[in-house]
Amino acid sequence: MLTSTNHRTVLAKPIKTRRLVLRELTDSDTPEFAHLAGDWDVARQTARIPYPYSEELAREWMDTLGPEEFVRAVVHHGTLIGAVGYVANEDRSAEIGYWIGKPWWGLGFATEAASALVRHCFTTAGFKRLTCCHFVDNAASRRVIQKLGFRANGLCTAWCDARRAEFPTQSYELNRPLTAMFWRRTP
Ligand SMILES: CC(C)(COP(=O)(O)OP(=O)(O)OC[C@H]1O[C@@H](n2cnc3c(N)ncnc32)[C@H](O)[C@@H]1OP(=O)(O)O)[C@@H](O)C(=O)NCCC(=O)NCCS
C-alpha cells in the first residue's frame, strides 16, 4: 500500500478538483499556513494546532510528520487557503482531517477538498475504511462530514491543544463503497 517507491510517487502527485489543487506543503507556505491555522476559530476546532501558533511551530510540525501522515495544502488560484490530510493505521484504515482559513469559509471549499481526499483515500491510497471526528460544538464540520456520507458511530472525548482541555467529540466512519473500484484514480 504505502510502501513502494512507485506508490509514494503517485501519492505525491497534486490532486486537482474543479476549483482547488491539493499539493504538498513547501517551506514557503509556512507564514500563511501559520497565519490561517493560528486563527483562534480554526485552531480551537482542531486537535493538534496550538494557540497561539507561530511559523516556528508550523515548521516544526511539518518537519516531524511521520510516514503514516499525509498532508496536502489546499490551494485556490495559487493561494493557500487550508489543509487536508490523513493518518494511516495498520489495518488499511485512516483518519482524515481538514481545515479552511476563515476568509474562505462558507464557499464549499472544505467539502470540495475533503471529497477529493476521500476519493484519493479509497482509490490511490487503497484504504478500506475512513474515520473522522469533530468536537461537538463544531456544527460546520458536522455538516461537511454529513455531506461526505460518513456515518456517526459514537461519542468520546479528545484533547484540544488550543483549548488545552479534553472535549466531547463525535466520531464517524465511512467504508469503501463497492462502486469505488469503478472510480477513476486521483488526480
Ligand atoms: C469546518 C470547516 C472546515 C468548514 O469549511 P467550509 O469551507 O466553510 O465548509 P463548506 O462550505 O464546504 O461547508 C460548510 C457547511 O456547514 C454549514 N454550516 C456552517 N456553519 C454552520 C453552523 N454554525 N451550523 C450549521 N451548519 C453550518 C454550511 O451552511 C455548509 O453546509 P451547506 O453546504 O449544506 O450549506 C471550517 O469552518 C474550518 O476550517 N473550521 C475550523 C477547523 C475545523 O473545524 N476543522 C475540522 C475539524 S473536525
Side-chain angles (χ1 to χ4, degrees):
M1 239 188 28
L2 302 178
T3 48
S4 80
T5 309
N6 272 352
H7 206 154
R8 268 202 292 275
T9 309
V10 172
L11 289 179
K13 280 187 180 174
I15 300 168
K16 292 181 183 158
T17 70
R18 190 168 65 82
R19 297 178 294 170
L20 304 170
V21 177
L22 313 184
R23 59 144 174 85
E24 289 190 297
L25 281 163
T26 65
D27 273 355
S28 61
D29 291 321
T30 317
E32 195 56 8
F33 186 96
H35 170 68
L36 294 173
D39 185 306
W40 171 246
D41 288 327
V42 173
R44 75 187 179 92
Q45 293 297 1
T46 69
R48 290 166 58 192
I49 301 171
Y51 186 86
Y53 201 41
S54 63
E55 282 184 42
E56 200 181 344
L57 287 173
R59 191 165 294 113
E60 196 179 298
W61 175 75
M62 289 176 199
D63 287 346
T64 54
L65 287 171
E68 75 288 2
E69 292 178 281
F70 174 94
V71 178
R72 287 293 175 268
V74 178
V75 175
H76 176 59
H77 289 320
T79 301
L80 177 86
I81 67 162
V84 295
Y86 62 71
V87 181
N89 303 310
E90 282 178 3
D91 62 353
R92 299 186 73 186
S93 75
E95 174 165 5
I96 66 158
Y98 46 82
W99 61 262
I100 294 291
K102 211 169 168 184
W104 292 279
W105 286 6
L107 299 171
F109 286 136
T111 307
E112 188 169 327
S115 297
L117 178 72
V118 165
R119 187 182 184 91
H120 172 88
C121 284
F122 285 140
T123 57
T124 311
F127 294 115
K128 295 279 187 203
R129 179 172 165 268
L130 298 177
T131 59
C132 62
C133 53
H134 64 75
F135 295 123
V136 294
D137 62 351
N138 192 349
S141 188
R142 178 182 304 120
R143 180 72 190 122
V144 171
I145 291 168
Q146 275 173 356
K147 288 193 283 181
L148 295 176
F150 278 75
R151 184 177 66 86
N153 66 358
L155 283 170
C156 55
T157 58
W159 177 257
C160 175
D161 270 351
R163 296 190 255 189
R164 299 190 186 97
E166 295 260 338
F167 276 90
T169 304
Q170 175 73 58
S171 58
Y172 298 81
E173 66 179 352
L174 180 65
N175 290 316
R176 184 175 186 263
L178 285 174
T179 51
M181 69 178 76
F182 302 113
W183 295 356
R184 275 184 47 220
R185 287 193 169 194
T186 56

